[in-house]
C-alpha cells in the first residue's frame, strides 16, 4: 500500500495528516528510532506525557510525578484482572454455602456481560468528561459490588451483585488503558503497557492460589472483601495524584447519548447471553437461542439507526470508517476468539489427557503469561524499526504456526510439550497485541482516545464470547462423533462430563479410559485448528485492511485539534 492509502485512512476529519506530508505516516512519529520521520525527539519532548501534544501538569512529565499514578493504574487493573481467577477456585465452597449449582456459571457470565456491554459507554464518557471521574466512579462501583457480594445471602443475590461489580470493571479496564496512553509519549508506552501485562500475568498465577487459600482456610466471602484495601489505595492515589490537562470549555454543554447507550447495552446483553448460554442451558436450535439471536439482530439494527442520528454517539461511525481502527478492532476481535483455546481448553487437556493435577495443569497454561509481558516490553525495539503493522503481522504469523503445531503433539506426550508451545505462543501474542494497542492509540487525539481504546477492548471481549460458544460446540461435536464408536456404552456425552469421569478413572475400564482420553485429545486438537483459523483471520485483516504505516498524530496536528470536541469530529467525518 502506498502512503496515499495511509493518509486516506485519516482523511475523514481532514486534519490528521495535514501539513506534514508523507512524514506523518511514519509509524513511530515522535519516537526515537532512526528514520522515524517527521518530529524526532524534540517534538516528543514538547508533546508532554501524551506524546502527541496533550498538555499536562509538570508533575506528570517526570517519572517521579507519574509513579503514584502508575501505581494506581496497576492496582486498578489488578482488581479487574484477578477477579475471575480468584472466584473460580472458590466455586465449590460458594455452591456448598448458597446452593444454586445449576446457575453458578452466571457468576462469571454475568460479570463478563456487564464488563463487555459497558466498555463503549465508559470510553465515550471518558472522552467527554475526562478520565479521572470515570475511573473514580468505576473503582467505587467495583468496591460497592465487592461489599454486596460478600454479603450475598443466596446465589441469585450473588449473581446480581457480580453484575454490579462488572459495571465497575468495565470502567476499570477501558479507562486504565486510556490513561496509560495519555501519560506516556509514544516511545515510552511499551513500558507502561508491559507493566499492565505483568499485572495480568501475576493475577493469572496468584488468583487461584489466593482464592484457594481464602476459601480453604478462611471464608469464601473474603475473596471479595480483599478487594477493599487494594481499591481504597488505588482510589486515594487517583484522587491525590492524577491531574488531567485543562481543555478549552466546549461552546455547547456536552450531551450523553443515553438512548444509544441503552440500545448498545440491550443488544450486547441479548447477544452475549445467547452465546454464553447456547448449548449449555438450552440447545442451539431451541426457541430461547433463536429468540435471543433474533431479538439481538433487531436491536442491533435499531442501535445503528439511533447512533447515526445521535449528535454524540456512543459508538461513532469513524471507529469503523478509519481503516487503522477498523483493522485493529477486527484483529483483536480475532485474538479474543483464539485465546479461548489455551485459556478454556488447555487445562482440560492437561488434566484429562496428560493426567496432571489442577495445579500442574495451571502451570502449563501460566507459562504463556510469563513470556507475553517480556516480548510486549521489547516490542518497541521492533516496531520502531519496521512499523506497528509489520510487527503485529510477524507476531500473529508466528502464533498461527504455533497453534497449528498443537495437533501434531504426540499422544499422550509429556507436559513440557504443550508448556513449550504456550511459552512460544505468549511470546508471539505479546509481539502482536501491544503494537496494535499502542499504535491505534497513537493515531487519535485526547478527545477520541477513550472511545478508540474502548472499541478495541469491546471487540476483543465479544470475540472471546463468540469463541467460547463456537469452540465449545466444536469440541462437543467432535467428542460426540468419537463416542458413537466407543467400545463400551453408558459413557458421558459432553466434554465437561467426560472430564469429570476421567478425574475418577476407577469407575471406567482401562480401555474405556484410554478411549476417552484420545477423544478429548482429538476434540482439543480441533479447537486449536479453529484457533489457528482465528489467527489467520487476524492476519488477513492486517494484510488487507491495515495501512502500511499507521498515521501517528503529531504535536502540531494535536494542538490544532485540541479545541474540537469528539462530536465535532464525528460530524466532520459524516459530512466528508
Amino acid at each position: 500500500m502506498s502512503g496515499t492509502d495511509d493518509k486516506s485512512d485519516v482523511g475523514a476529519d481532514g486534519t490528521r495528516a495535514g501539513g506534514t506530508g508523507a512524514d506523518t505516516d511514519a509509524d513511530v512519529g515522535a519516537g526515537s528510532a532512526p528514520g522515524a520521520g517527521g518530529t524526532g525527539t524534540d517534538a516528543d519532548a514538547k508533546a508532554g506525557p501524551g506524546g502527541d501534544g496533550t498538555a499536562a501538569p509538570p508533575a506528570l512529565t517526570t517519572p517521579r510525578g507519574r509513579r503514584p499514578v502508575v501505581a494506581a493504574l496497576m492496582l486498578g487493573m489488578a482488581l479487574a484482572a484477578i477477579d475471575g481467577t480468584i472466584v473460580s477456585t472458590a466455586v465449590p465452597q460458594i455452591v456448598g454455602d448458597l446452593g444454586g449449582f445449576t446457575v453458578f456459571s452466571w457468576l462469571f457470565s454475568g460479570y463478563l456481560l456487564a464488563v463487555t456491554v459497558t466498555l463503549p459507554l465508559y470510553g465515550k464518557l471518558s472522552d467527554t468528561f475526562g478520565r479521572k471521574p470515570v475511573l473514580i466512579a468505576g473503582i467505587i462501583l467495583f468496591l460497592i459490588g465487592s461489599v454486596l457480594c460478600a454479603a450475598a445471602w443466596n446465589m441469585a443475590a450473588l449473581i446480581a451483585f457480580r453484575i454490579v461489580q462488572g459495571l465497575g470493571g468495565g470502567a476499570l479496564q477501558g479507562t486504565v488503558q486510556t490513561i496509560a496512553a495519555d501519560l506516556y509519549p509514544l516511545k515510552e508506552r511499551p513500558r507502561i503497557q508491559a507493566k499492565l501485562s505483568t499485572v495480568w500475568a501475576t493475577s493469572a498465577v496468584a488468583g487461584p492460589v489466593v482464592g484457594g487459600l481464602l476459601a480453604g482456610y478462611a471464608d469464601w466471602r473474603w475473596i471479595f472483601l480483599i478487594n477493599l484495601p487494594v481499591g481504597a489505595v488505588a482510589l486515594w492515589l487517583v484522587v491525590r495524584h492524577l491531574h488531567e490537562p485543562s481543555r478549552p470549555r466546549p461552546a455547547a454543554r456536552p450531551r450523553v447519548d443515553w438512548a444509544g447507550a441503552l440500545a448498545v447495552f440491550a443488544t450486547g446483553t441479548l447477544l452475549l447471553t445467547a452465546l454464553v448460554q447456547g448449548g449449555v442451558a438450552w440447545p442451539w436450535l431451541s426457541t430461547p437461542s433463536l429468540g435471543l439471536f433474533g431479538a439481538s439482530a433487531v436491536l442491533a439494527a435499531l442501535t445503528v439507526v439511533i447512533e447515526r442520528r445521535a449528535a454524540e454517539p456512543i459508538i461513532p461511525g469513524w471507529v469503523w470508517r478509519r481503516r487503522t481502527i477498523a483493522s485493529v478492532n477486527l484483529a483483536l476481535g480475532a485474538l479474543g476468539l483464539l485465546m479461548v483455546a489455551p485459556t478454556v481448553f488447555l487445562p482440560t487437556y492437561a488434566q484429562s489427557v496428560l493426567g496432571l493435577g489442577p495445579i500442574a495443569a495451571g502451570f502449563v497454561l501460566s507459562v504463556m503469561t510469563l513470556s507475553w509481558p517480556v516480548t510486549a516490553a521489547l516490542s518497541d525495539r521492533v516496531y520502531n524499526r519496521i512499523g506497528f503493522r509489520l510487527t503485529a503481522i510477524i507476531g500473529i504469523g508466528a502464533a498461527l504456526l504455533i497453534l497449528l503445531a498443537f495437533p501434531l503433539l504426540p499422544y499422550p506426550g509429556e507436559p513440557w510439550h504443550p508448556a513449550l508451545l504456550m511459552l512460544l505462543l505468549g511470546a508471539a501474542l505479546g509481539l502482536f497485541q501491544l503494537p496494535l494497542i499502542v499504535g491505534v492509540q497513537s493515531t487519535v487525539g485526547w478527545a477520541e482516545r477513550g472511545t478508540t481504546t474502548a472499541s478495541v477492548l469491546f471487540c476483543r471481549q465479544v470475540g472471546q464470547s463468540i469463541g467460547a460458544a463456537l469452540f465449545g460446540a466444536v469440541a462437543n461435536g467432535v467428542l460426540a462423533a468419537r463416542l458413537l464408536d466407543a467400545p463400551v456404552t453408558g459413557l458421558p456425552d459432553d466434554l465437561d462430563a467426560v472430564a469429570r469421569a476421567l478425574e475418577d478413572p476407577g469407575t471406567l475400564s482401562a480401555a474405556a479410559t484410554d478411549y476417552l482420553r484420545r477423544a478429548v485429545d482429538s476434540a482439543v486438537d480441533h479447537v486449536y485448528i479453529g484457533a489457528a483459523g482465528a489467527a489467520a483471520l487476524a492476519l488477513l485483516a492486517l494484510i488487507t485492511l491495515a495501512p502500511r504505516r499507521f498515521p501517528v498524530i503529531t504535536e502540531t496536528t494535536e494542538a490544532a485539534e485540541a479545541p474540537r470536541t469528539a462530536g465535532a469530529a464525528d460530524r466532520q467525518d459524516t459530512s466528508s
Side-chain angles (χ1 to χ4, degrees):
M1 296 182 183
S2 66
T4 304
D5 289 336
D6 302 339
K7 284 178 281 192
S8 67
D9 174 69
V10 212
D13 53 19
T15 58
R16 188 160 312 270
T20 59
D23 287 345
T24 313
D25 289 341
D27 265 315
V28 280
S32 59
T39 56
T41 53
D42 292 340
D44 194 22
K46 295 175 186 176
D52 45 23
T54 305
L60 295 183
T61 62
T62 63
R64 184 175 182 181
R66 291 192 296 247
R67 196 171 298 151
V69 180
V70 171
L73 297 183
M74 295 180 70
L75 289 173
M77 187 63 78
L79 288 174
I82 203 171
D83 184 82
T85 55
I86 197 173
V87 172
S88 62
T89 56
V91 165
Q93 288 77 13
I94 295 174
V95 172
D97 188 14
L98 301 181
F101 176 78
T102 57
V103 295
F104 82 87
S105 63
W106 274 99
L107 290 177
F108 309 98
S109 301
Y111 180 86
L112 174 65
L113 285 171
V115 169
T116 303
V117 299
T118 55
L119 276 169
L121 173 61
Y122 287 129
K124 185 63 178 179
L125 290 177
S126 72
D127 284 342
T128 304
F129 299 105
R131 329 293 193 211
K132 186 173 182 177
V134 174
L135 182 57
I136 289 174
I139 295 175
I140 292 175
L141 197 55
F142 189 91
L143 295 182
I144 291 174
S146 298
V147 172
L148 292 174
C149 285
W153 53 91
N154 58 33
M155 185 60 74
L158 182 58
I159 291 171
F161 298 148
R162 282 281 289 165
I163 293 175
V164 175
Q165 255 193 328
L167 296 177
L172 288 173
Q173 288 196 27
T175 312
V176 165
Q177 294 278 7
T178 305
I179 294 175
D182 290 341
L183 283 177
Y184 284 85
L186 175 59
K187 66 182 180 181
E188 295 183 35
R189 283 176 190 163
R191 191 179 308 167
I192 179 62
Q193 290 290 350
K195 290 180 180 179
L196 296 179
S197 297
T198 302
V199 171
W200 282 97
T202 304
S203 300
V205 177
V209 175
V210 175
L213 290 174
L214 291 176
Y217 297 98
D219 188 274
W220 64 263
R221 299 178 189 272
W222 281 100
I223 67 176
F224 299 107
L225 294 176
I226 199 174
N227 292 330
L228 300 183
V230 177
V233 174
L235 187 62
W236 180 82
L237 289 172
V238 170
V239 172
R240 177 69 177 83
H241 294 284
L242 178 58
H243 307 289
E244 292 194 271
S246 59
R247 296 177 294 132
R249 187 179 299 274
R253 182 179 178 180
R255 290 177 292 176
V256 178
D257 177 24
W258 293 115
L262 181 61
V264 171
F265 189 92
T267 303
T269 299
L270 290 182
L271 176 60
L272 293 176
T273 300
L275 292 171
V276 169
Q277 295 299 104
V280 179
W282 47 70
W284 282 110
L285 297 180
S286 64
T287 300
S289 278
L290 296 178
L292 285 171
F293 280 119
S296 61
V298 172
L299 282 176
L302 180 62
T303 301
V304 172
V305 173
I306 293 173
E307 294 297 87
R308 287 176 66 89
R309 294 180 177 179
E312 302 282 353
I314 294 296
I315 303 181
W318 53 260
V319 168
W320 293 105
R321 285 195 296 271
R322 296 179 189 171
R323 288 172 47 210
T324 306
I325 302 176
S327 62
V328 171
N329 281 343
L330 292 174
L332 291 185
L335 173 65
L337 194 68
L338 74 86
M339 281 300 296
V340 171
T343 57
V344 176
F345 290 93
L346 184 64
T348 299
Y349 172 87
Q351 294 182 67
S352 300
V353 178
L354 301 181
L356 301 179
I359 296 178
F363 176 76
V364 172
L365 173 61
S366 66
V367 293
M368 181 176 69
T369 65
L370 301 178
S371 57
W372 192 316
V374 174
T375 54
L378 299 175
S379 64
D380 63 319
R381 302 186 182 183
V382 182
Y383 68 65
N384 276 337
R385 293 179 177 275
I386 64 176
F388 294 118
R389 174 178 173 268
L390 188 54
T391 302
I393 286 175
I394 292 173
I396 196 62
L400 171 59
L401 297 177
I402 294 165
L403 291 167
L404 287 174
F406 188 91
L408 303 178
L409 293 178
Y411 172 86
E414 298 293 334
W416 68 266
H417 293 156
L420 177 60
L421 287 184
M422 291 307 100
L423 187 70
L424 296 175
L425 182 62
L429 294 179
L431 202 61
F432 165 69
Q433 178 181 260
L434 188 133
L436 291 183
I437 292 179
V438 172
V440 78
Q441 288 178 331
S442 302
T443 65
V444 294
W446 191 97
E448 297 175 341
R449 191 171 292 137
T451 299
T452 300
T453 303
S455 73
V456 168
L457 298 179
F458 176 76
C459 289
R460 190 177 65 186
Q461 292 280 90
V462 171
Q464 186 174 350
S465 299
I466 294 174
L470 177 62
F471 294 146
V474 169
N476 284 321
V478 172
L479 198 62
R482 291 302 179 100
L483 292 178
L484 287 176
D485 300 323
V488 294
T489 59
L491 294 178
D493 58 357
D494 65 77
L495 189 62
D496 290 336
V498 168
R500 288 194 297 269
L502 289 173
E503 289 178 1
D504 187 16
T507 60
L508 302 171
S509 66
T513 299
D514 182 69
Y515 189 88
L516 286 182
R517 291 188 188 281
R518 289 182 180 274
V520 172
D521 178 62
S522 178
V524 176
D525 284 348
H526 280 77
V527 168
Y528 268 82
I529 292 173
L537 291 177
L539 184 62
L540 184 64
L542 293 177
I543 292 175
T544 60
L545 294 179
R548 183 174 56 88
R549 293 178 180 270
F550 281 23
V552 174
I553 196 169
T554 64
E555 178 193 8
T556 304
T557 306
E558 174 76 7
E561 290 186 346
R564 296 171 54 199
T565 64
D570 297 346
R571 289 189 291 273
Q572 192 160 345
D573 284 345
T574 304
S575 63
S576 62

